[in-house]
Amino acid sequence: MLEQLKEKVFQANLDLPKHGLVKHTWGNASAIDRETGLFVIKPSGVDYETMKAEDMVVVDLNGNTVEEKLKPSSDTATHAALYRRYPEIGGIAHTHSTWATIWAQAGLDVPAMGTTHADTFYGSVPCARQLTKEEVDRGYEKETGNLIIETFEERGLDIMAVPGILIHGHAPFTWGKDAAAAVLNSLVLDEVSKMNLFTRELNHFAKELPKHILDKHYLRKHGAEAYYGQK
Amino acid sequence: MLEQLKEKVFQANLDLPKHGLVKHTWGNASAIDRETGLFVIKPSGVDYETMKAEDMVVVDLNGNTVEEKLKPSSDTATHAALYRRYPEIGGIAHTHSTWATIWAQAGLDVPAMGTTHADTFYGSVPCARQLTKEEVDRGYEKETGNLIIETFEERGLDIMAVPGILIHGHAPFTWGKDAAAAVLNSLVLDEVSKMNLFTRELNHFAKELPKHILDKHYLRKHGAEAYYGQK
Amino acid sequence: MLEQLKEKVFQANLDLPKHGLVKHTWGNASAIDRETGLFVIKPSGVDYETMKAEDMVVVDLNGNTVEEKLKPSSDTATHAALYRRYPEIGGIAHTHSTWATIWAQAGLDVPAMGTTHADTFYGSVPCARQLTKEEVDRGYEKETGNLIIETFEERGLDIMAVPGILIHGHAPFTWGKDAAAAVLNSLVLDEVSKMNLFTRELNHFAKELPKHILDKHYLRKHGAEAYYGQK
Amino acid sequence: MLEQLKEKVFQANLDLPKHGLVKHTWGNASAIDRETGLFVIKPSGVDYETMKAEDMVVVDLNGNTVEEKLKPSSDTATHAALYRRYPEIGGIAHTHSTWATIWAQAGLDVPAMGTTHADTFYGSVPCARQLTKEEVDRGYEKETGNLIIETFEERGLDIMAVPGILIHGHAPFTWGKDAAAAVLNSLVLDEVSKMNLFTRELNHFAKELPKHILDKHYLRKHGAEAYYGQK
């Protein structure tokens, strides 16, 4: 079932190590079929080199496996929470990519310091707080999903205009209209994390991008007036 | 039309990701045919892995597409402004290469701290100011071209002796006698940006190259007395 | 003899340069057959590109070569000391991987600052002191093994819960249930060494992971209640 | 003539970009035939991707081309000066490798901070001063060779125990018993330059290796009592 979606999710998962975003088995990507309300995700702890498209696992929005084969990613409950809350999200990626994880470990939002950032993220990428002991005991992965939702709601952020977040002490999650977009947003987040770290090393007083340039770059790629690409 | 130039521009564009200067679709290279006054540039937002030589777009010096096929790079008006103003320029490249972009985000000129720099750039590579809101509203890409011209004129720099610039908060542009030279200058600019950042980290008091060594290295490769290479 | 183990140790050694953990001949991996009490290790100073599985050297727990062919790694006595003292260890890897070696040169323990670390190492990875002149004279490689044992005993650490160590001024050693696990732990140690260095650069006040998250991540992969992977 | 040596020098030159030590045409390796007193060196400014073994240039100890074909590397006079002064040297390499060049630009000696360094360089790798205007005018490349000799003599260093140097504001030169050894020493120098920069970033008070460990590592690979490798 969902063979085409499995193939797309499989390719998106392979793109994670290909782009240097994932070492070993530290990452996963998923995508949802909104008609059936089922999503497809990487199996847990399976090696990228031997994994096949048919190993992808079909899961419902409660995170329960629908087909009996491999166990889904241990982060499945986080993906499920986001798909339930945000109907706009079509795909999700989770990595421990080096530079985004560094900002997550530092507990800092990634500010919009250049147009590379503004082309994808309309403002700072937030860093969510760490889960409490009570939340971890209640259900680590599900509560991570709830924490992402809480962070976007408290800050009043548009989930598709800022398609990613860092979890303090952990690593990034990104999303998009499908699995490929989610993976691409992981790539962008890692690259701007690297650039911004060294920008501030080079000039401790380097400023965030002024609003009129942030607007220009985000809006020339996104929204009604977009003119980037072949559309 | 301009089939040979399309092939060269295509190869120059492929060299950008090959040298690690471009991820995703964040870059473009072009070259001009001075006889017809037409230039060839990468199409907008097209994937490097599937792009073909025939996808290259022919544009006139006003930035208008001559052949009806794909849309040209969104940065076409910047390229056009430079080709109009400087008849010496034969090719232009634009990337968001990591280390040059870091200096652009920091808003700093890249000083000539070593002979790797002096072999290509005869002095500091300037960082232009950010565009004002009025300039962005008037035409972001064209005004970026005008800003480059303004910066070179205000500083009295020779466009071919310093074949590159950073735009504050954005990224580098480089140029040369053809598209391949422009791409090579992007590679040099990124490498010296990396070296110079860490040189100053290692020794906060590291100095710029003295004039007699800057002269020696630049002039053994360029100008009337050059003796580097097989010419 | 031990042909299957030779093949596994050979593959583990090849994985060291493949993962970027070893340049030139700066590394070695071994694995033990607990039934015979013999272990298999890389030959000394042999090029990874020309090395064959049959070049692997069989050694007893006193570090003496059992088959007469090539000389074993110069670090054989360190491996032997660890295999003698810890029956749980099935494989050992030694590299001069860039980022772990940087922490070793700095003489600092690698703190657990994120879940990438907690998934593999249950707390800080210790940095052992430098050997004294007397210890070096008595037998450099064997005393390095004894120093590792001394460090784990003095700190009361569980050898399998913290499967790695740095030697001040030298480089890391890691271990695991077999050679592949030892190599994977080298990869993790190098990656968290890189992440943690830049985390503290980005935020000098970045804290170690709180205990409840360290516990959660370590225990969801290890121990009786583990639920990561397909087991 | 010297066909075998040309083949070896060609391979050594190809190893420079393969190991990431050279981008574009920024490097060269050579080796000498002590019987004829002729040495073989890379041609000037030729692309590594199209270069052939037969393109290597034969030069005498005055730096004059013996066979009329391509022009030798612009750094030929530096190589010649070292071959004339030090009969122990069999091969020389020059690169602008990133991390060694950073120390050269910073104008600092690379201290021996770990065993990776001590395995190859018996103490700090010196950074020579910059050439004066008079020296540059007199003959830049030859005077660079004389400066290397001056630096080793003033400091009383053994040319084969410390087989490399940095030129302030320029880049490294390394040497060895043949071209392959010279290239390997370039690799080591670049790697320890990277490690040492970040060691001091991580711990501003990190110390150099104590003498008894420097001695142990250098002497277990070199000298009469060496026991590393298969000899």
Side-chain angles (χ1 to χ4, degrees):
Chain A
M1 57 192 298
L2 298 176
E3 301 308 321
Q4 285 190 320
L5 196 61
K6 279 182 187 171
E7 183 62 35
K8 285 181 184 171
V9 169
F10 173 62
Q11 289 299 334
N13 274 289
L14 291 189
D15 280 346
L16 293 172
K18 181 181 162 194
H19 292 315
L21 299 169
V22 159
K23 294 184 173 174
H24 190 46
T25 62
W26 304 331
N28 46 72
S30 72
I32 193 164
D33 176 63
R34 288 286 174 188
E35 283 195 35
T36 58
L38 300 174
F39 69 96
V40 170
I41 192 165
K42 179 176 173 289
S44 183
V46 168
D47 198 316
Y48 283 91
E49 293 191 11
T50 56
M51 194 168 70
K52 300 193 193 73
E54 67 221 49
D55 295 335
M56 300 298 107
V57 185
V58 182
V59 185
D60 69 22
L61 278 172
N62 294 315
N64 296 317
T65 310
V66 173
E67 286 182 309
E68 279 301 328
K69 289 165 83 183
L70 293 169
K71 277 170 59 185
S73 163
S74 56
D75 297 305
T76 297
T78 311
H79 292 239
L82 295 178
Y83 285 129
R84 278 198 307 270
R85 173 63 183 79
Y86 300 108
E88 310 92 308
I89 295 180
I92 298 172
H94 171 53
T95 77
H96 288 210
S97 73
T98 308
W99 301 99
T101 302
I102 285 165
W103 284 79
Q105 292 193 165
L108 298 173
D109 296 359
V110 184
M113 301 195 72
T115 60
T116 318
H117 184 119
D119 282 343
T120 297
F121 298 101
Y122 194 32
S124 296
V125 175
C127 183
R129 64 175 174 81
Q130 286 177 319
L131 290 176
T132 63
K133 182 160 193 332
E134 290 65 39
E135 288 168 324
V136 169
D137 290 345
R138 207 185 304 147
Y140 178 67
E141 293 82 6
K142 183 177 173 186
E143 292 299 331
T144 297
N146 289 339
L147 174 62
I148 294 171
I149 296 166
E150 171 198 305
T151 306
F152 271 74
E153 293 188 345
E154 278 187 8
R155 301 203 189 189
L157 296 172
D158 175 344
I159 197 79
M160 296 310 274
V162 181
I165 195 168
L166 307 174
I167 311 295
H168 185 187
H170 186 176
F173 285 83
T174 59
W175 46 85
K177 67 177 165 46
D178 54 24
V183 168
L184 176 58
N185 292 341
S186 287
L187 176 69
V188 176
L189 180 54
D190 198 63
E191 182 67 9
V192 299
S193 295
K194 183 177 185 182
M195 285 177 175
N196 290 3
L197 186 155
F198 288 109
T199 298
R200 283 271 163 86
E201 290 265 320
L202 184 58
N203 180 355
H204 294 326
F205 303 96
K207 296 209 173 87
E208 296 187 39
L209 211 55
K211 175 134 181 42
H212 67 277
I213 295 181
L214 176 66
D215 283 354
K216 179 67 191 177
H217 265 266
Y218 187 75
L219 299 172
R220 81 174 186 168
K221 280 206 161 179
H222 306 271
E225 311 277 305
Y227 57 91
Y228 183 91
Q230 297 300 329
K231 292 156 291 185
Chain B
M1 57 191 301
L2 298 175
E3 301 307 321
Q4 284 190 322
L5 195 61
K6 280 183 186 169
E7 183 62 34
K8 284 181 186 172
V9 169
F10 173 62
Q11 289 300 333
N13 274 289
L14 291 189
D15 280 346
L16 293 172
K18 181 181 161 193
H19 292 315
L21 300 169
V22 159
K23 294 184 172 173
H24 189 46
T25 62
W26 304 330
N28 47 72
S30 71
I32 192 164
D33 176 63
R34 288 286 174 190
E35 284 195 33
T36 58
L38 301 174
F39 68 95
V40 171
I41 192 164
K42 180 177 171 289
S44 182
V46 168
D47 197 315
Y48 284 91
E49 294 192 10
T50 56
M51 194 168 70
K52 301 193 192 73
E54 66 221 49
D55 295 336
M56 300 299 106
V57 185
V58 181
V59 185
D60 69 21
L61 278 172
N62 294 315
N64 297 317
T65 309
V66 173
E67 287 182 308
E68 279 300 329
K69 291 165 80 183
L70 294 169
K71 277 170 58 186
S73 164
S74 56
D75 298 306
T76 296
T78 310
H79 293 240
L82 295 177
Y83 285 128
R84 278 198 307 269
R85 173 64 183 78
Y86 300 108
E88 311 93 306
I89 295 181
I92 298 173
H94 171 53
T95 78
H96 288 209
S97 73
T98 308
W99 301 99
T101 302
I102 285 164
W103 283 79
Q105 292 194 165
L108 298 173
D109 295 1
V110 184
M113 302 195 71
T115 60
T116 318
H117 185 118
D119 283 344
T120 297
F121 298 101
Y122 195 32
S124 295
V125 175
C127 182
R129 65 173 173 81
Q130 286 177 318
L131 290 176
T132 63
K133 182 159 192 335
E134 291 64 39
E135 288 168 325
V136 169
D137 290 345
R138 207 185 304 148
Y140 179 66
E141 293 82 6
K142 183 177 174 187
E143 292 300 330
T144 296
N146 289 339
L147 174 62
I148 294 171
I149 295 165
E150 171 198 304
T151 305
F152 270 74
E153 293 188 345
E154 279 187 8
R155 300 202 190 190
L157 296 172
D158 175 344
I159 198 79
M160 296 311 273
V162 181
I165 195 167
L166 306 174
I167 311 295
H168 185 186
H170 186 176
F173 284 84
T174 59
W175 45 84
K177 67 178 165 46
D178 54 24
V183 168
L184 176 59
N185 292 342
S186 287
L187 176 69
V188 177
L189 181 52
D190 199 62
E191 182 67 9
V192 299
S193 294
K194 182 177 184 181
M195 285 176 174
N196 290 3
L197 187 155
F198 288 108
T199 298
R200 283 271 162 86
E201 290 265 321
L202 183 59
N203 181 355
H204 295 325
F205 303 96
K207 296 208 174 89
E208 296 186 40
L209 211 56
K211 177 138 179 40
H212 67 277
I213 296 181
L214 176 67
D215 283 353
K216 179 67 190 176
H217 265 266
Y218 186 74
L219 299 172
R220 80 173 186 169
K221 281 206 161 178
H222 306 272
E225 311 277 306
Y227 58 90
Y228 183 92
Q230 298 299 329
K231 293 156 291 185
Chain C
M1 61 191 295
L2 298 176
E3 300 308 320
Q4 285 190 321
L5 195 61
K6 279 183 186 170
E7 183 62 35
K8 285 181 185 172
V9 169
F10 174 62
Q11 288 300 333
N13 274 288
L14 291 189
D15 280 346
L16 293 172
K18 181 182 161 194
H19 292 316
L21 300 169
V22 160
K23 294 183 174 175
H24 190 47
T25 61
W26 303 331
N28 46 73
S30 72
I32 191 164
D33 176 64
R34 288 287 175 188
E35 283 195 34
T36 58
L38 300 174
F39 69 95
V40 171
I41 193 164
K42 180 177 171 291
S44 183
V46 168
D47 198 315
Y48 284 91
E49 293 191 11
T50 56
M51 193 168 70
K52 300 194 193 73
E54 67 222 48
D55 294 335
M56 300 300 107
V57 185
V58 182
V59 184
D60 69 22
L61 278 172
N62 294 315
N64 296 317
T65 308
V66 172
E67 287 182 309
E68 279 302 328
K69 290 164 81 182
L70 294 169
K71 277 171 58 186
S73 164
S74 57
D75 298 305
T76 297
T78 311
H79 292 239
L82 295 177
Y83 284 129
R84 278 197 308 270
R85 172 64 182 79
Y86 299 109
E88 310 92 306
I89 295 180
I92 298 172
H94 171 53
T95 77
H96 288 210
S97 73
T98 308
W99 301 99
T101 302
I102 285 165
W103 284 80
Q105 292 193 166
L108 297 173
D109 296 359
V110 184
M113 302 195 71
T115 60
T116 317
H117 184 119
D119 283 343
T120 297
F121 297 101
Y122 195 34
S124 295
V125 175
C127 183
R129 63 174 174 82
Q130 286 177 318
L131 290 175
T132 63
K133 183 160 191 335
E134 290 66 38
E135 288 168 326
V136 169
D137 290 344
R138 206 184 304 148
Y140 178 67
E141 293 82 4
K142 183 177 173 187
E143 292 300 329
T144 297
N146 289 339
L147 174 63
I148 294 172
I149 295 165
E150 171 198 304
T151 306
F152 270 75
E153 293 188 345
E154 279 187 8
R155 300 203 190 189
L157 295 173
D158 175 344
I159 197 81
M160 296 310 274
V162 181
I165 196 167
L166 306 174
I167 310 295
H168 185 187
H170 186 176
F173 284 85
T174 59
W175 46 83
K177 66 178 164 48
D178 54 24
V183 168
L184 175 58
N185 292 341
S186 287
L187 176 69
V188 176
L189 181 53
D190 199 62
E191 181 67 10
V192 298
S193 295
K194 183 177 184 181
M195 285 178 175
N196 290 2
L197 186 156
F198 288 109
T199 298
R200 283 272 162 84
E201 291 265 318
L202 183 59
N203 180 355
H204 294 325
F205 303 97
K207 296 207 172 89
E208 297 186 39
L209 211 56
K211 176 137 181 38
H212 67 277
I213 295 180
L214 176 66
D215 283 353
K216 180 67 191 178
H217 265 265
Y218 187 75
L219 299 173
R220 81 173 186 168
K221 280 205 161 178
H222 305 272
E225 311 277 305
Y227 58 91
Y228 183 92
Q230 298 298 330
K231 292 154 293 186
Chain D
M1 61 191 294
L2 298 176
E3 300 309 320
Q4 284 190 321
L5 195 62
K6 279 183 185 169
E7 182 63 34
K8 284 181 186 171
V9 169
F10 173 61
Q11 289 300 334
N13 274 289
L14 291 189
D15 280 345
L16 294 172
K18 181 182 161 193
H19 293 314
L21 300 169
V22 160
K23 294 182 172 176
H24 190 46
T25 62
W26 303 331
N28 47 71
S30 72
I32 192 164
D33 176 64
R34 287 287 173 189
E35 284 194 33
T36 58
L38 300 174
F39 69 95
V40 171
I41 192 164
K42 180 177 171 291
S44 182
V46 168
D47 198 314
Y48 284 91
E49 293 191 10
T50 55
M51 194 169 70
K52 300 194 192 73
E54 67 222 47
D55 294 335
M56 300 299 106
V57 185
V58 182
V59 185
D60 69 22
L61 278 172
N62 294 316
N64 297 317
T65 308
V66 172
E67 287 182 308
E68 279 301 328
K69 290 164 81 183
L70 293 169
K71 278 170 57 184
S73 164
S74 57
D75 298 305
T76 297
T78 312
H79 293 240
L82 295 178
Y83 285 129
R84 278 197 306 271
R85 173 65 182 78
Y86 299 108
E88 311 93 305
I89 295 181
I92 298 172
H94 171 53
T95 78
H96 289 209
S97 73
T98 308
W99 301 98
T101 302
I102 285 165
W103 284 79
Q105 292 193 165
L108 298 173
D109 296 359
V110 184
M113 302 195 71
T115 60
T116 318
H117 185 118
D119 283 343
T120 297
F121 297 101
Y122 194 34
S124 295
V125 175
C127 183
R129 65 173 173 81
Q130 287 177 319
L131 291 176
T132 63
K133 183 160 191 333
E134 290 65 39
E135 288 168 325
V136 170
D137 290 346
R138 205 183 306 147
Y140 178 66
E141 294 82 5
K142 183 177 174 187
E143 292 300 331
T144 298
N146 290 339
L147 174 62
I148 295 172
I149 296 165
E150 170 198 305
T151 306
F152 271 75
E153 293 188 345
E154 278 187 8
R155 300 203 190 189
L157 295 172
D158 174 344
I159 197 81
M160 296 310 274
V162 181
I165 195 168
L166 306 175
I167 311 296
H168 186 186
H170 186 176
F173 284 84
T174 58
W175 46 83
K177 66 177 165 49
D178 54 24
V183 168
L184 176 58
N185 292 341
S186 287
L187 176 69
V188 176
L189 180 52
D190 199 62
E191 181 68 8
V192 299
S193 294
K194 182 177 184 181
M195 285 177 175
N196 290 3
L197 186 156
F198 287 109
T199 298
R200 283 272 162 86
E201 290 265 320
L202 184 59
N203 180 355
H204 293 326
F205 302 97
K207 296 206 174 89
E208 295 186 40
L209 211 56
K211 176 137 180 41
H212 67 277
I213 296 181
L214 176 66
D215 283 353
K216 179 67 191 178
H217 265 266
Y218 186 75
L219 299 173
R220 80 174 186 168
K221 281 205 162 179
H222 305 272
E225 311 277 306
Y227 58 91
Y228 183 92
Q230 298 298 330
K231 292 155 293 187

